[in-house]
Amino acid sequence: MASNPETSLVDLRSDTVTQPTLAMRDAMSAAPLGDDVFGDDPTVNALQTTLAGQLGFEAALFVPTGTQSNLCAIMAHCQRGDEYIVGQMQHAYRWEGGGAAVLGSVQPQPLEHQADGMLALADIEAAIKPDDPHFARTRLLALENTLGGKLLPFDQVLAATQLAQRRGLARHLDGARLFNAATAQAAASGDEVLHEARRIAGCFDSVSVCFSKGLGAPVGSVLCGPRDFIQRAHRIRKMVGGGMRQAGVLAAAALFALENHVDRLAEDHAHARRLADGLAGIEGLNVQTPQTNILFVELTGAARERSAELLAHLKAHGVLALGLYQLRFVTHLDVDAAGIDRAIAAVRSFFKP
Ligand SMILES: *Cc1c(COP(=O)(O)O)cnc(C)c1O
């Protein structure tokens, strides 16, 4: 897969666009397989055991997507007529087709986020309904970390999840980018990434991790939790059509990512900062400070109406991004420093032809 650096695309639309590396493909092709619906795919079992062990959970379940993982989690925590407290911008509320309500008869109670991405303790407290037949039964608090590339402040995650526990709610983390969160937290604390991942996960009863984002696998998420919870999630996964047979060929990619791609997430974060630094000072752009691998750039003044034109200009220069008044650039393992510099040059040439 040789690529010409001058003509290959710098695809910053999302960290889902990565191609499996040759080494990952080798691991996939060498993986021992079985029928996972019978529970005998050794590679799926190894992935589940490995991640559960790393994050400090009893059990885990490999699922095709993060959406299905969140759905299985919400349905395994909640019954029909229950509700879950969730942020307005979280994937498990906004971007999953209303699945928990449609398929689980579980009502969302969305809350506004604070500037740092967290839900305010007072808002969570106020959203917990009394035991009264007028109300749905508040059963679950769901958070997402990272959220829009933001690392949730750990002390607030701890306080919110302790509040939920005190009030008898279960706690689920959409940790699609848990390892990005752990990488940013580790950079601040000096601790190991895995230690930080375990510290964040330890605040929750269940955690979902995506392998098809920055970790670079083609497909798959893993839901972790207590054994009885994972048994319920397993039944729900079957019900929504997520039981897969020789799924070890996919789990092998996720296992490979766990072993080889966690440590390099810091590079993606450095690339996002490099991009932010390179775009700083351009008139018409308000460049945010990225905490992880996602950079938002707001178009201001006269540039505000020019996003379509800018995206087309970038595309003509081999750089892909997404957005409207706010552009989104996401770094990942298929973008190197040279690609970032090409993106910077392409944006600069739009504003100063
Ligand atoms: C991508 C993502 C998911 C799930 O995505 P799938 O495309 O269904 O795998 C869930 N939560 C967050 C925060 C995500 O970014």
Side-chain angles (χ1 to χ4, degrees):
M1 289 206 307
S3 62
N4 180 336
E6 294 306 316
T7 56
S8 65
L9 281 175
V10 180
D11 193 343
L12 297 164
R13 291 173 302 168
S14 174
D15 49 9
T16 56
V17 301
T18 57
Q19 299 276 326
T21 62
L22 288 179
M24 181 180 275
R25 289 169 196 245
D26 285 345
M28 294 170 77
S29 100
L33 306 177
D35 187 332
D36 183 53
V37 173
F38 294 139
D40 35 75
D41 187 297
T43 309
V44 170
N45 292 338
L47 173 64
Q48 292 173 163
T49 307
T50 302
L51 189 67
Q54 284 182 347
L55 298 183
F57 289 100
E58 281 175 3
L61 186 68
F62 185 51
V63 287
T65 66
T67 299
Q68 190 173 100
S69 192
N70 283 331
L71 177 66
C72 289
I74 293 168
M75 287 179 68
H77 281 303
C78 302
Q79 298 295 314
R80 192 163 174 250
D82 289 352
E83 76 171 0
Y84 66 111
I85 296 174
V86 62
Q88 281 282 2
M89 297 308 290
Q90 282 179 224
H91 204 280
Y93 168 60
R94 183 167 288 247
W95 305 96
E96 296 182 359
V102 175
L103 301 166
S105 299
V106 181
Q107 153 178 299
Q109 166 61 71
L111 299 180
E112 294 300 331
H113 296 273
Q114 306 297 293
D116 59 12
M118 258 312 283
L119 307 180
L121 283 187
D123 292 350
I124 296 172
E125 184 101 56
I128 300 173
K129 316 287 186 292
D131 182 4
D132 174 313
H134 287 90
F135 301 117
R137 290 172 301 250
T138 313
R139 181 70 199 103
L140 173 70
L141 171 68
L143 298 180
E144 178 179 320
N145 198 7
T146 61
L147 177 97
K150 284 178 182 154
L151 169 67
L152 299 184
F154 179 74
D155 55 345
Q156 291 187 47
V157 171
L158 189 60
T161 51
Q162 284 176 344
L163 163 66
Q165 189 178 37
R166 263 199 319 277
R167 299 295 303 269
L169 309 190
R171 301 145 316 161
H172 172 67
L173 178 67
D174 179 350
R177 296 187 179 84
L178 171 67
F179 284 106
N180 292 91
T183 298
Q185 205 160 285
S189 72
D191 245 323
E192 284 173 24
V193 173
L194 207 52
H195 188 257
E196 294 296 350
R198 201 181 167 102
R199 177 179 285 168
I200 296 169
C203 298
F204 294 88
D205 301 297
S206 61
V207 173
S208 170
V209 176
C210 273
F211 287 89
S212 57
K213 303 281 167 77
L215 291 176
V219 171
S221 284
V222 172
L223 177 63
C224 300
R227 202 172 305 284
D228 59 337
F229 164 87
I230 290 297
Q231 272 165 8
R232 292 196 300 279
H234 193 166
R235 177 184 295 271
I236 295 158
R237 184 187 72 174
K238 185 68 192 167
M239 215 159 54
V240 296
M244 299 184 290
R245 301 294 176 172
Q246 285 70 38
V249 73
L250 301 172
L255 256 182
F256 181 90
L258 217 43
E259 282 158 19
N260 298 281
H261 290 170
V262 171
D263 289 345
R264 60 153 309 287
L265 290 173
E267 275 175 53
D268 296 343
H269 297 188
H271 287 153
R273 285 194 302 274
R274 182 186 184 100
L275 182 57
D277 290 346
L279 299 180
I282 298 179
E283 164 106 37
L285 295 186
N286 175 15
V287 182
Q288 298 183 2
T289 304
Q291 295 178 14
T292 59
N293 69 326
I294 303 181
L295 171 66
F296 287 101
V297 176
E298 199 189 342
L299 299 175
T300 60
R304 198 169 154 77
E305 306 304 325
R306 298 182 67 198
S307 64
E309 210 186 318
L310 171 55
L311 290 175
H313 173 90
L314 294 181
K315 193 170 179 183
H317 289 74
V319 176
L320 302 182
L322 285 182
L324 190 54
Y325 302 120
Q326 179 165 265
L327 301 187
R328 189 179 91 147
F329 300 90
V330 188
T331 58
H332 51 74
L333 85 170
D334 286 354
V335 177
D336 57 10
I340 294 298
D341 292 346
R342 277 178 62 204
I344 295 167
V347 176
R348 288 204 165 267
S349 70
F350 178 77
F351 287 97
K352 272 210 177 68

